[in-house]
């Protein structure tokens, strides 16, 4: 007879039960606070303003205008005929090639061209190297599963997106080794939103430029790009991401894995039409960049007026903002104390650098493209009042002088946060390890 | 100096490089043959007819009719207003509750009601216990990650879907222990397509009936259901699946994991409206069942005429067909030889039982709902000719007599193939193991 025990038997797996998911990072805690008390100019004017969300809400009118003119893309029609049946049934079964269906090929083709257009056609993306996934989150994880065994590590430059701890490590068992970059090299990133020169340079462009030279190792099949439409087109809800690789083994493995997160065929149909319209994408990319720059400048100028400096940036939907002079101690503890004040007292959800594994205390990630210009004004006004009050309370002058960016470290690898390169040890290296 | 070696350093992870994916199963090989030479009544009348695809194409006209009457659901409108912006931005960030967005709640609510309706409201599904995923494939894997540590095993009754080896084992490191069922207990399954009495009985109904009794262990929080609209509504391309669990820990972990395969918000909006229309779902479920039964009967009667028996079934989009009397040896080798003849000579892609881990040789899975009645006629005609030729070549009479289903084994667990129950060892059991 089996003894009855009062213990609740463990149900969840170790992975599901552990905290690698990283949900208790201050990044996500700030989000939770925002969700409890969200700002609304009319219904909740004292609520928290969400500046922790790198989302692009600036150019929806351009997409809406296109949708009005192209009702077939939403209506699942091709001229007079409905494509509903075709789309309802389409899926890339079991990782076999979907050569029956032209719409899926279509999205990969349109996406490849759109990615090339963003690089001013300096790099040609081959549609057959694209694996579609349900967003970049899914793409990032699938790429880790393709490349990493349990315990293998990836180098990621800091500050990096806190979600990477979940996306890259949680279920895969892979590790992240942060490569600590400093403000001196500018914490840089995003391709399609680059709004000033010199813009984003893809590692693929560098490789393309090197291609004529005989290289000892074919490096281009070791570069794998993760892309999504969430930032560049502002469509996170539609869940469209992609892995791009010139390595056939990676493309094949990732294609098989893509069955765990395929893109809805309804959404593929819509976006293949949208991205296939060259006139639209040209106009969108130019106008979107102009608007992002405008909003970015509004933030930078607003901060400048109240004595807060930003790292110069040329792309993306947020700025790295230096608030170390507002901290009472130049430490990560001081950063957390200041952050709590900004969230709870000032009512702005910004993300502390420490949540992004930043190695210098005092930096905050502040997003600007997910709100109206008016809301950004409210945010600047609140921050201005807070700075004034804080200054009266007198942070030590010596600390204020020391607030410039530290320059003692340099980043050993210039990496785009959106791709990961596995540094596989050579056979000789492995032998030496034994 | 590091020696240069000619060896190509290993790039893929062990998982990505190994064969647990199971793509070389005869199930998938049959698919590949079909893809090379697909039947078309006009353009390729001698091509292979796809009978390996459990897909429901019988009731698309009902959905299309609904779409015509409800253009807002496709057009992303709510009355006069566009909901495009709302949908473009919506995602269930980081596994936090999506209480801002009503449409996602809406799909979970509509889905819960639809699932209850299919069970004639004998079970009430709570929308807050639903985690949406990009198809059942994604749901199955996420559930495994939630419940299983590396090397843990799940009991699955045979014959089971060959894709389970990929979905449940490949990336999770979990194992499957097949529970060998025999034809004597009928290899049964699917809920929403049950077309005759006694229909499908969900384990949740059994538990609901037991609930008034005091049970030693609360079993209902150990039952986790995986559901999808791919079969019941015939929408695999739209990638809508779900995990249903009454266990808050599982719901919480699965919600966090759902970020690796979220459903497009565009598709959520459409299906929330479709499934929210009770008049439509009532009519659809009834008419769809009637059509499936009609097509099922066409297959069963057609096979009977040529001397082939099916297992009696009451649901699903395929039959288990006994062709053991056409084999030259009553073995899995004989099954493979026959299968190759049926695919290459007869031109029908059916799935051998062995690819579904069936323990008795001679059974084949034959799908009937993914083609027109005319195409099914062609398939029956081809099979009839083959049987006639085979009979002339004289399979031993003794073998033909022995063709009835074996009854020596019985299935120790009656399980719905669409859910998995983890049998967690009690503390005492674990102690005994040491």
């Amino acid at each position: 007879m089996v003894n009855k025990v009062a213990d609740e038997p463990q149900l969840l797996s170790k992975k599901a039960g552990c905290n690698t998911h990283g949900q208790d990072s201050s990044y996500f805690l700030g989000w939770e606070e925002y969700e409890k008390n969200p700002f609304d100019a009319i219904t909740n004017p004292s609520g928290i303003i969400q500046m922790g969300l790198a989302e692009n809400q600036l150019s929806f009118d351009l997409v809406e205008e296109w949708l009005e003119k192209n009702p077939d893309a939403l209506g699942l029609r091709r001229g007079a005929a409905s494509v509903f049946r075709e789309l309802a049934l389409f899926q890339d079964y079991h990782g076999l090639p979907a050569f029956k269906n032209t719409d899926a090929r279509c999205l990969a083709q349109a996406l490849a061209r759109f990615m090339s257009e963003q690089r001013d056609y300096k790099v040609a993306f081959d549609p057959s190297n694209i694996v579609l996934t349900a967003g970049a989150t899914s793409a990032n994880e699938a790429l880790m599963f393709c490349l990493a065994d349990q315990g293998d590590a990836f180098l990621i430059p800091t500050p990096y997106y806190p979600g990477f701890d979940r996306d890259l490590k949680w279920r895969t068992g892979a590790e992240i080794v942060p490569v600590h970059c400093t403000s001196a090299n500018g914490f840089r990133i995003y391709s399609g939103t680059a709004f000033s020169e010199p813009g984003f340079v893809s590692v693929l462009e560098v490789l393309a430029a090197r291609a004529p030279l005989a290289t000892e190792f074919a490096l281009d099949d070791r570069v794998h790009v993760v892309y999504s439409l969430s930032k560049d087109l502002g469509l996170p809800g539609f869940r469209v991401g992609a892995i791009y690789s010139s390595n056939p083994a990676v493309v094949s493995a990732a294609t098989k894995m893509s069955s765990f997160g395929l893109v809805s065929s309804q959404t593929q149909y819509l976006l293949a039409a949208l991205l296939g319209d060259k006139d639209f994408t040209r106009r969108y990319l130019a106008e979107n960049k102009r608007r992002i720059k405008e909003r970015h400048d509004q933030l930078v100028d607003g901060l400048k007026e109240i004595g807060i400096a930003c790292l110069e940036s040329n792309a993306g939907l947020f700025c790295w903002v230096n608030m170390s002079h507002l901290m009472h101690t130049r430490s990560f503890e001081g950063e957390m104390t200041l952050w709590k004040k900004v969230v709870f007292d000032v009512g702005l959800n910004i993300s502390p650098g420490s949540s992004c594994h930043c190695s210098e205390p005092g930096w905050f990630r502040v997003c600007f493209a997910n709100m109206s210009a008016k809301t950004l004004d409210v945010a600047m006004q609140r921050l201005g009042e807070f700075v004034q009050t804080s200054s009266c309370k007198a942070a030590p002058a010596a600390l204020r002088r020391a607030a410039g960016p530290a320059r003692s470290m340099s980043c050993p690898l210039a990496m785009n946060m959106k791709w990961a390169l596995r540094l596989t040890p050579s056979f000789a290296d492995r032998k030496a390890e034994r």
Side-chain angles (χ1 to χ4, degrees), chain A:
Chain A
M1 190 186 145
V2 177
N3 288 325
K4 286 168 208 159
V5 284
D7 302 43
E8 172 69 13
Q10 174 224 332
L11 180 74
L12 287 190
S13 69
K14 289 192 193 86
K15 273 178 187 167
C18 81
N19 195 33
T20 320
H21 178 257
Q23 202 178 334
D24 64 353
S25 149
S26 50
Y27 177 82
F28 296 117
L29 294 180
W31 275 71
E32 281 180 21
E33 287 312 312
Y34 165 74
E35 297 279 359
K36 286 181 205 162
N37 180 26
F39 171 82
D40 183 283
I42 292 153
T43 60
N44 190 22
S46 67
I48 296 177
I49 296 174
Q50 172 60 296
M51 304 185 92
L53 176 52
E55 201 169 75
N56 181 4
Q57 303 188 14
L58 302 183
S59 301
F60 279 142
D61 57 321
L62 303 181
V63 180
E64 282 168 337
E65 192 187 307
W66 185 90
L67 291 174
E68 284 290 329
K69 286 185 195 155
N70 297 273
D72 280 7
L74 272 183
L76 306 187
R77 306 194 74 80
R78 198 184 285 126
S82 164
V83 293
F84 169 74
R85 284 168 197 239
E86 204 176 304
L87 294 177
L89 291 175
F90 170 68
Q91 52 179 337
D92 189 2
Y93 283 108
H94 321 295
L96 296 177
F99 39 74
K100 268 198 314 186
N101 186 288
T102 52
D103 292 312
R105 274 302 102 205
C106 228
L107 178 55
Q109 261 163 14
L111 197 62
R113 195 202 58 79
F114 184 62
M115 288 165 76
S116 298
E117 183 180 10
Q118 289 187 33
R119 313 298 340 116
D120 286 331
Y121 297 102
K122 278 179 269 184
V123 188
F125 290 93
D126 178 351
S128 63
N129 290 347
I130 285 183
V131 179
L132 294 175
T133 61
T137 303
S138 181
N140 278 324
E141 192 194 45
L143 192 54
M144 293 303 105
F145 269 120
C146 286
L147 300 177
D149 289 317
Q150 174 99 16
D152 281 359
F154 289 81
L155 304 175
I156 310 271
T158 64
Y160 65 76
Y161 169 52
F164 278 172
D165 291 327
R166 171 199 63 192
D167 299 356
L168 309 185
K169 288 163 62 175
W170 190 30
R171 305 200 308 186
T172 64
E175 298 294 335
I176 288 176
V177 174
V179 177
H180 287 297
C181 299
T182 69
S183 51
N185 53 41
F187 304 152
R188 295 228 170 129
I189 38 173
Y190 292 103
S191 164
T193 57
F195 48 74
S196 68
E197 294 299 326
F200 169 85
V201 178
S202 165
V203 68
L204 292 177
E205 282 166 60
V206 178
L207 292 174
R210 275 184 52 178
L213 306 170
T215 49
E216 209 158 304
F217 297 99
L219 202 61
D220 57 349
D221 75 352
R222 300 289 179 85
V223 173
H224 318 292
V225 174
V226 167
Y227 182 69
S228 100
L229 295 179
S230 301
K231 308 295 182 200
D232 287 350
L233 267 188
L235 296 175
F238 282 30
R239 313 311 302 150
V240 181
I243 294 170
Y244 185 89
S245 174
S246 305
N247 189 310
V250 171
V251 171
S252 165
T255 301
K256 289 175 195 164
M257 287 187 190
S258 70
S259 59
F260 297 112
L262 292 172
V263 183
S264 164
S265 55
Q266 182 195 11
T267 296
Q268 289 192 38
Y269 185 75
L270 167 61
L271 294 178
L274 183 84
L275 297 181
D277 183 339
K278 287 185 201 182
D279 287 340
F280 169 76
T281 56
R282 190 176 51 237
R283 208 164 68 85
Y284 180 90
L285 284 170
E287 179 61 16
N288 185 46
K289 279 178 194 177
R290 197 193 62 72
R291 294 184 189 184
I292 291 176
K293 179 168 171 26
E294 192 176 75
R295 190 61 53 83
H296 163 271
D297 292 351
Q298 184 189 344
L299 173 68
V300 172
D301 294 348
L303 290 170
K304 205 175 169 185
E305 265 180 45
I306 53 179
I308 296 178
C310 293
L311 265 189
E312 212 174 293
S313 80
N314 62 345
L317 308 173
F318 54 81
C319 283
W320 281 103
V321 174
N322 186 348
M323 300 217 264
S324 56
H325 60 296
L326 298 170
M327 305 191 312
H328 280 275
T329 62
R330 196 181 172 81
S331 66
F332 286 113
E333 222 183 329
E335 181 179 290
M336 282 317 282
T337 309
L338 175 60
W339 175 70
K340 283 177 190 162
K341 274 189 204 163
V342 175
V343 173
F344 292 100
D345 302 344
V346 189
L348 305 179
N349 178 38
I350 59 177
S351 306
S354 55
S355 72
C356 301
H357 305 267
C358 183
S359 58
E360 295 171 20
W363 291 95
F364 292 81
R365 197 188 82 148
V366 178
C367 302
F368 54 79
N370 62 317
M371 65 193 73
S372 69
K374 273 190 185 167
T375 302
L376 187 53
D377 274 342
V378 176
M380 290 302 98
Q381 202 180 325
R382 287 187 187 177
L383 203 58
E385 282 161 19
F386 171 70
V387 169
Q388 211 157 23
T389 322
S390 299
S391 302
C392 297
K393 287 185 191 157
L399 192 66
R400 247 177 286 151
R401 275 196 301 276
R407 290 178 186 271
S408 56
M409 292 173 68
S410 69
C411 173
L413 263 183
M415 289 173 85
N416 170 11
M417 270 169 64
K418 286 182 114 183
W419 60 266
L421 168 64
R422 191 192 196 193
L423 300 175
T424 313
S426 71
F427 182 73
D429 292 340
R430 285 182 192 181
K431 214 170 163 185
E433 278 170 22
R434 280 183 212 135

